[in-house]
Amino acid sequence: MKPKDDEKQRAIAEATFTLVAQTGLSGLTMADIARTAGIATSTLYVYYPSKDELISQLYQEAKTATMQRLMDGVVPGASLRSRVRRIWGNLLRHRLERYAEVVFQEQYYNSPWFSQGNRELSTRLAAGFLALMEEGQQQEIFKPVPLPLLTASVVGSVRETANLIRTGVLPDDEAVQQAAFSLCWDAIKA
C-alpha cells in the first residue's frame, strides 16, 4: 500500500478549515473538500473513510497543535501574571494566524458530531492551562468562581480582541494587546 502524502493531508486540512469558516460544518461535503484541496473525491476517501472520521481526526490534530502553541514559552516559576500574559498572547496570535482552523475547532466542539473521546482529549490537552488557573485561585490571586467561568473570561477576551483586530477596528500592535490583556487580568483577579 502506498504511504499517504503529507502534502495532500495538509491540503485536505486547510480545505476543510477554509470551507467550515466560509459555510459552516453542517454544509461541509467530502466533494467540496476534495475540490478545494485539488484532489479527487476518491482520493479523499483513501485518507478519511467518512466526513465524521475526517472532522474528528482533524479536530484532534488541530486541538493538539493549538494547546502546544498555547503553552509555548510559558516559563515555570515565572510570575502568574507573566505566564497568563504569555498564554493570552499565544492564543491571540494563534487566532489571528490560524483563524479558519480556530473556527473549525469551535464549530466542531459545539456540534452534535463532537464525540466523548474528543471531549476527553480536550480536557487532557487543557490540563496545563487549567492547572495554572487553579494555581491562581489557590493563591487567591484569581476570583473564586467556577473554573470554566475563569477560563471563559480569558478565552473570551482573546476572541473579542482578535475579532476587533481582524475587522480593523483596532490595530494589531503591542499597545492594544497590553490594554486588552490588562482588562482581562482585571476581570479575573480577586
Side-chain angles (χ1 to χ4, degrees):
M1 179 180 216
K2 184 178 172 184
K4 292 182 180 175
D5 182 324
D6 288 343
E7 199 54 45
K8 282 183 184 164
Q9 286 183 300
R10 271 191 289 282
I12 292 166
E14 291 304 317
T16 303
F17 299 152
T18 299
L19 289 168
V20 169
Q22 292 171 354
T23 62
L25 195 57
S26 59
L28 188 66
T29 68
M30 295 293 270
D32 288 341
I33 294 167
R35 188 177 319 101
T36 304
I39 62 173
T41 304
S42 59
T43 302
L44 178 58
Y45 280 104
V46 169
Y47 287 81
Y48 302 97
S50 69
K51 175 181 166 179
D52 287 355
E53 179 124 351
L54 180 142
I55 61 177
S56 178
Q57 187 171 336
L58 289 182
Y59 176 81
Q60 291 167 19
E61 293 166 5
K63 189 65 172 182
T64 300
T66 298
M67 295 312 290
Q68 288 171 345
R69 188 167 187 190
L70 180 79
M71 300 305 288
D72 184 50
V74 176
V75 178
S79 74
L80 189 65
R81 183 182 169 100
S82 69
R83 288 182 283 160
V84 173
R85 174 63 173 98
R86 180 62 181 221
I87 289 169
W88 190 95
N90 288 347
L91 194 52
L92 178 66
R93 291 274 42 96
H94 185 70
R95 283 192 78 87
L96 291 171
E97 294 168 7
R98 304 288 303 162
Y99 178 73
E101 182 180 313
V102 170
V103 169
F104 166 80
Q105 288 180 62
E106 289 176 348
Q107 285 199 18
Y108 179 66
Y109 183 85
N110 292 300
S111 79
W113 294 288
F114 194 58
S115 68
Q116 184 60 34
N118 281 337
R119 188 172 312 284
E120 291 166 4
L121 172 72
S122 292
T123 301
R124 279 193 313 276
L125 291 172
F129 177 57
L130 295 173
L132 185 62
M133 296 292 102
E134 287 176 335
E135 177 186 335
Q137 285 183 322
Q138 290 166 355
Q139 293 177 15
E140 298 181 351
I141 295 171
F142 293 156
K143 288 180 171 61
V145 298
L147 201 56
L149 284 176
L150 197 64
T151 60
S153 293
V154 175
V155 173
S157 168
V158 170
R159 179 183 299 117
E160 293 309 312
T161 301
N163 286 342
L164 292 169
I165 292 170
R166 283 188 69 254
T167 58
V169 173
L170 293 174
D172 184 9
D173 64 26
E174 186 57 34
V176 164
Q177 291 174 32
Q178 194 55 43
F181 176 72
S182 290
L183 289 169
C184 174
W185 183 259
D186 289 346
I188 64 175
K189 73 177 184 177

